[in-house]
């Protein structure tokens, strides 16, 4: 029986901006339908609150400390294996439609004499996915490539200009019919100049449908449908620009106490333009209804895709990270408060073994590194134990409790060396790193060159009070610090030998081969 | 002006078994000559007291925690760059003659569709060196390859049999003219069956001389001359088998107190056959004179090579690790006592800037990761800051003191999962790891799953008393533990982007490209 995989990702989507995760006004019935037919994870975390490194973890099943792609511009090492590699071994087509932050590792390709235009070269340049429709979604005029498919698509639909994505999808007409930029958040209330049916979200769905309609019925496939939205620029076409109003956004989660004697890294992020702007109610009230419209459009597009329903297909719905949206006096992501680091995750497992868990909520810690082993196990492939650092979620979708594999903590990491705070804190790029370890009750954040942060999630679930330098909590901090050190040493850096073979090596085997060390 | 590099390595050579390092009976005038013309480092350490991972560090300039080749059987990741890669960029030929533990990473070669027989494939399979004469030196009959050059060489010189290396170089005739095996240390006092001029050491020198005589005078080259000796099997041809007697070996460094309440990992290694045998004086007295003969032969062979002297050539003489030879009730290497982890290192820099340091001894901590940057700097190449973890030694050979770059500690790591103690300690392979950090006065060893070890080198320079669990020394241990954690986080895992570019990234650059995050 053919088993397919539909791996859906939104970009910068906060878990709590979905109705199945409790949003009181934003109805997302199609995503909710996945939750009804699957398991919704309430404690899912990304490995990095930043697109590129988070996705590198989603696609390799490995933490940042292992794959080493720490900022968006870092290409993956050619030695890393990704979802596409694992599924290729069992004859899957693994196709990306939409955004990934993957890029060609040109130095490595040249050194290993691999032509970037070859199938292999393209696959390596796109994070292991077969080349189909790959874009980054952020192409201002300075960096737009000549052959951007979405620009060609807009042109063929009658739009005119040079960089059509920028001038139509990322632009709007103001009250004076003047074109204004979606990069300015003051324009977020205006409808995008592009028609909804030609927007980047609709285009992405169309390309996915094209792939699905063209796929050989005998092929098994994994489609990674990766919407660039609701990521900024915060602009959405009509009618989505006016579906929600300021009274329907979630109350801001912030406290003046957070700005008293703030941690230097928190302070530096708070001082960034985006955080200053998102700290103003005027901004939140204009931007967040549009953020909601963008999500609603994604949900509607998923409705198009999911009708009719797919047989024998596992669905994974998730996001690469969240969005502060003004919570904690911050915009964007990058740091480790829950709105940034927690992600939505729904796994809809079609097997009959999974009947008992349909529509349930699972509260275990799960992580983006779990996606690769989940999909590979579902597809019947081999779990590559010497590389994959996550755990398959299928035991959880099938109601199997395994106390031994219960995750006691979750990890996320950031390298903010390409963000503003490197300059304002005057740091060497290698010192712009922080590592989060959160247990059920505590969140500890180790900063290079700065004191650690610590939050008591039981008594301060909103993370307003940083206890990192409070002498009363030294013992908790030390214990988590030590857990983090152990975690660092456990990373799977030894990747080139089959895991099972590790147990066969040794003196007995050497002696059978005639290597008799130190015999008399 | 052409500048060449001669990088000489012996295998399992203890620093103190050279006359320039103070051996009272073993005269090594040719190695001493390098010391007279260069700088001898008294505190040089290998990154792993085990051949393969140590060499991976020598050849990549990276620690085990970064390159991930932890045991002899681990091939290097294809994404790692080695000495040969760096020197190739500036048009050097980088040739290995002799032993490396490098092996083909067949899975990766297949995945990246690189033919192992191509020049690129061979270079990747040999740790980045141009294919010339590469062997492992330990080829009992079960694993001998058909095309072993040394076997062909012995055959062409009139030796007969199947696996000639084993039956001639690793075998001897006993008093009854019966052939006996060099694998049995009881035979170490017998001369190898092979004639000295046809021994593996002489063959290695011959092949190096062949390379040197055939090299295009316009080519710049780096020759890595890598003797397999004095590594076991401990057998040497006449006359070297009888040059030394038991009264000329160094006094054993061991103390009955070491066997009282020993650390579990130490105990497990002590219980291995080779340690049990080397704990007997009869064994030491028979084997070590032969070990000395093997070293003397290497020195004599270097005399052949170094006459006449080479102009404009930097010489590096070193070893991949030491040999316990019964010290601390141990044989082999693997653990972190000085006889195992300390290495000889002599750098003979031909530049006139280096005149002031000729014949001096430098006591700074230096490491095998320093070799790649030293050679690349000497050759005029670029230091690859995002990958190379060592420091060029040229400031030291040129008498430049740089207090900022002074190394406060040295690191060495081991994975003993392919050694006997994995079985006797009943460990998962991933738990067979230990990490040493040594400062001037202390040596701290972090063991997975076991308590740490700590030695007070000032008051116990012979490392007899393990203070790892002594409450009185908790503070010292904790501080070194924390240094080790910091060191782990400093590893250069982010390798794929030019180091200098890291400083150009950021908000300002984004905004120039038109990416205006969170503007109002």
């Amino acid at each position: 029986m053919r088993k397919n995989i539909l791996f859906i990702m939104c970009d910068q989507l906060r878990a709590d901006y979905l109705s199945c995760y409790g949003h009181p006004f934003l109805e997302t019935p199609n995503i909710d339908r996945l939750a009804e037919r699957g398991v919704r994870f309430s404690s899912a975390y990304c490995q990095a609150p930043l697109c590129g490194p988070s996705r590198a973890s989603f696609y390799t099943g490995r933490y940042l400390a292992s794959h080493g792609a720490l900022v968006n511009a870092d290409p993956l090492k050619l030695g890393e294996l990704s979802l596409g590699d694992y599924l290729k071994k069992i004859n899957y087509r693994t196709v990306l439609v939409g955004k990934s932050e993957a890029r060609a590792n040109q130095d490595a390709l040249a050194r290993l004499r691999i032509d970037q235009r070859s199938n292999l070269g393209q696959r390596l340049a796109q994070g292991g996915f077969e080349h189909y429709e790959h874009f980054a979604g952020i192409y201002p005029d300075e960096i737009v490539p000549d052959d951007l498919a979405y620009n060609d698509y807009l042109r063929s639909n009658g739009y005119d200009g040079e960089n059509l994505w920028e001038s139509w999808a990322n632009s709007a007409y103001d009250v004076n019919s003047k074109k204004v930029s979606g990069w300015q958040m003051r324009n977020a209330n205006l409808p995008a100049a592009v028609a909804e049916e030609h927007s980047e979200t609709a285009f992405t769905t169309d390309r996915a449908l094209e792939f699905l309609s063209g796929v050989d019925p005998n092929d098994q496939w994994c489609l990674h449908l990766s919407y660039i939205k609701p990521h900024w620029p915060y602009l959405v076409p009509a009618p989505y620009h006016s579906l929600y109003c300021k009274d329907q956004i979630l109350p801001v989660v912030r406290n003046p106490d957070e700005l008293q004697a703030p941690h230097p890294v928190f302070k530096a992020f708070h001082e960034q333009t985006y955080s200053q702007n998102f700290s103003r109610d005027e901004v939140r009230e204009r931007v967040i209804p549009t953020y909601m419209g963008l999500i609603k459009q994604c949900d509607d597009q998923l409705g198009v895709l999911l009708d009719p329903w797919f047989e024998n297909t596992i669905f994974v719905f998730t996001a690469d990270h969240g969005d502060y949206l003004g919570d904690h006096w911050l915009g964007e992501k990058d740091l480790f408060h829950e709105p940034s680091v927690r992600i939505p995750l729904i796994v809809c497992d079609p097997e009959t073994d999974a009947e008992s868990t349909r529509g349930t909520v699972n509260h275990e810690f799960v992580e983006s590194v779990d996606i690769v082993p989940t999909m590979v196990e579902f597809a019947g492939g081999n779990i590559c134990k010497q590389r994959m650092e996550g755990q398959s979620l299928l035991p959880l979708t099938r109601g199997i409790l395994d106390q031994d594999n219960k995750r006691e903590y979750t990890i996320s990491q950031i390298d903010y060396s390409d963000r503003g705070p490197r300059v304002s804190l005057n740091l060497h790029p290698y010192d712009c790193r922080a590592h989060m370890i959160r247990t059920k009750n505590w969140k500890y954040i180790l900063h290079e060159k700065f004191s650690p942060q610590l939050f008591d999630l039981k008594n301060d679930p909103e993370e307003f009070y940083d206890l990192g330098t409070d002498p009363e909590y030294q013992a908790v901090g030390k214990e988590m610090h030590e857990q983090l050190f152990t975690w660092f040493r456990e990373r799977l850096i030894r990747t080139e030998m089959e895991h099972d073979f590790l147990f066969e090596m040794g003196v007995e085997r050497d002696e059978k081969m005639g290597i008799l060390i130190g015999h008399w």
Side-chain angles (χ1 to χ4, degrees), chain A:
Chain A
M1 192 175 60
R2 293 186 308 119
K3 290 183 177 183
N4 300 319
I5 299 169
L6 192 45
F7 173 20
I8 306 159
M9 186 178 281
C10 284
D11 196 322
Q12 199 146 328
L13 170 62
R14 267 172 72 146
D16 54 1
Y17 273 81
L18 295 172
S19 46
C20 57
Y21 276 88
H23 198 287
F25 301 109
L26 175 54
E27 292 296 329
T28 48
N30 295 296
I31 296 166
D32 293 5
R33 185 151 56 121
L34 293 174
E36 284 155 22
R37 296 193 177 197
V39 175
R40 179 168 70 77
F41 291 92
S42 66
S43 301
Y45 289 84
C46 61
Q47 261 50 76
L50 185 63
C51 303
S54 171
R55 287 159 188 266
S57 289
F58 266 110
Y59 304 152
T60 61
R62 291 160 61 74
Y63 294 93
L64 274 67
S66 301
H67 61 61
L70 305 191
V71 312
N72 287 338
D74 285 341
L76 210 56
K77 295 174 192 185
L78 289 201
E80 289 293 325
L81 298 189
S82 73
L83 181 61
D85 292 298
Y86 295 119
L87 294 177
K88 193 166 188 296
K89 279 190 193 159
I90 48 173
N91 300 314
Y92 269 70
R93 291 187 65 187
T94 306
V95 168
L96 164 68
V97 174
K99 175 177 170 172
S100 88
E101 284 279 349
R103 59 204 69 217
N105 191 332
Q106 288 174 325
D107 286 353
L109 289 170
R111 189 171 66 88
L112 298 175
R113 299 190 201 146
I114 298 169
D115 184 346
Q116 199 185 317
R117 296 157 305 178
S118 68
N119 286 339
L120 173 64
Q122 292 211 7
R123 200 154 57 75
L124 291 169
Q126 294 181 11
F129 294 100
E130 179 183 327
H131 173 67
Y132 192 83
E133 186 63 61
H134 170 235
F135 54 78
I138 302 154
Y139 291 115
D141 298 345
E142 290 293 317
I143 53 172
V144 66
D146 288 338
D147 59 348
L148 188 62
Y150 181 50
N151 274 352
D152 294 341
Y153 166 87
L154 288 176
R155 192 166 292 115
S156 71
N157 279 284
Y159 295 85
D160 57 8
E162 288 292 318
N163 180 3
L164 303 171
W165 194 327
E166 184 78 354
S167 57
W168 292 95
N170 280 351
S171 297
Y173 291 103
D174 70 7
V175 286
N176 303 316
S177 303
K178 193 186 146 215
K179 235 181 199 174
V180 293
S181 168
W183 291 104
Q184 310 292 134
M185 297 196 298
R186 67 173 70 243
N187 301 320
N189 60 324
L190 301 172
V194 76
E196 195 276 326
E197 68 265 31
H198 300 135
S199 67
E200 60 272 66
T201 299
F203 168 73
T204 307
T205 310
D206 286 353
R207 290 291 285 147
L209 288 168
E210 254 177 75
F211 168 75
L212 292 169
S213 65
V215 76
D216 186 322
N218 295 313
D219 276 351
Q220 298 193 107
W221 49 262
C222 169
L223 171 61
H224 178 36
L225 170 59
S226 181
Y227 291 113
I228 171 72
K229 292 298 172 184
H231 190 284
W232 44 257
Y234 300 104
L235 200 66
V236 70
Y240 294 100
H241 74 297
S242 62
L243 291 186
Y244 303 99
C245 67
K246 68 185 174 68
D247 298 334
Q248 294 175 316
I249 70 177
L250 294 180
V252 68
V253 178
R254 69 187 182 204
N255 188 313
D257 290 349
E258 292 181 274
L259 303 179
Q260 302 305 314
H263 189 280
V265 176
F266 169 79
K267 180 168 179 280
F269 274 95
H270 170 61
E271 287 167 354
Q272 297 298 302
T273 302
Y274 46 81
S275 296
Q276 290 296 307
N277 281 330
F278 268 108
S279 293
R280 293 162 49 205
D281 291 341
E282 176 191 26
V283 174
R284 296 182 63 256
E285 290 169 1
R286 188 164 301 177
V287 172
I288 299 177
T290 297
Y291 181 75
M292 292 166 68
L294 286 163
I295 296 165
K296 181 69 177 175
Q297 190 194 8
C298 288
D299 188 75
D300 283 346
Q301 289 292 320
L302 281 180
V304 173
L305 191 89
L306 296 179
D307 191 26
W309 192 254
F310 294 67
E311 297 298 323
N312 304 324
T313 300
I314 194 171
F315 294 87
V316 170
F317 176 86
T318 190
D320 54 353
H321 52 75
D323 191 327
Y324 275 109
L325 297 174
D327 287 357
H328 303 284
W329 312 95
L330 296 168
E332 276 277 81
K333 51 267 179 178
D334 297 311
L335 297 182
F336 299 110
H337 299 89
E338 295 287 292
S340 172
V341 77
R342 184 172 162 244
I343 51 174
L345 179 66
I346 299 166
V347 178
C348 189
D349 175 355
E351 300 287 330
T352 52
D353 291 356
E355 293 301 331
S356 67
T357 65
R358 299 202 191 288
T360 62
V361 184
N362 188 300
H363 302 293
E364 299 295 327
F365 286 131
V366 293
E367 300 185 329
S368 40
V369 292
D370 297 336
I371 300 306
V372 166
T374 301
M375 292 181 180
V376 170
E377 187 186 1
F378 176 80
N382 287 324
I383 299 297
C384 183
K385 287 187 196 167
Q386 74 270 26
R387 288 178 178 265
M388 293 182 193
E389 297 187 299
Q391 298 284 336
S392 167
L393 300 174
L394 297 186
L396 301 181
T397 64
R398 292 165 193 184
I400 300 164
L401 282 176
D402 181 353
Q403 292 298 331
D404 289 346
N405 279 323
K406 205 176 149 74
R407 195 174 263 137
E408 296 295 327
Y409 56 75
T410 180
I411 299 281
S412 196
Q413 301 181 277
I414 191 73
D415 179 323
Y416 53 90
S417 60
D418 66 344
R419 319 295 278 175
R422 172 176 66 80
V423 178
S424 58
L425 291 167
N426 193 23
L427 292 175
H428 187 284
Y430 290 166
D431 293 329
C432 301
R433 292 186 191 165
H435 318 277
M436 176 201 86
I437 175 167
R438 97 149 264 186
T439 60
K440 186 160 172 278
N441 291 331
W442 299 95
K443 184 179 284 184
Y444 178 80
I445 299 161
L446 174 57
H447 290 273
E448 304 300 338
K449 307 292 168 193
F450 299 103
S451 58
Q453 293 182 280
L454 180 70
F455 295 98
D456 176 349
L457 302 175
K458 197 169 172 187
N459 297 303
D460 175 29
E462 288 173 313
E463 308 174 89
F464 292 147
Y465 298 96
D466 181 353
L467 309 170
T469 53
D470 187 330
E472 209 181 311
Y473 295 88
Q474 286 266 339
V476 178
K478 270 190 181 169
E479 190 187 325
M480 297 186 79
H481 187 83
E482 189 58 30
Q483 277 179 314
L484 199 53
F485 184 17
T486 304
W487 178 87
F488 262 90
R489 299 198 309 278
E490 287 170 351
R491 290 312 89 229
L492 299 184
I493 51 154
R494 189 180 165 199
T495 53
E496 306 305 296
M497 200 184 290
E498 282 288 337
H499 181 269
D500 290 351
F501 183 64
L502 302 182
F503 297 85
E504 291 171 25
M505 298 173 66
V507 173
E508 211 176 308
R509 190 170 166 276
D510 283 353
E511 299 209 339
K512 269 188 201 150
M513 297 194 304
I515 299 172
L516 309 172
I517 306 175
H519 281 232
W520 176 244

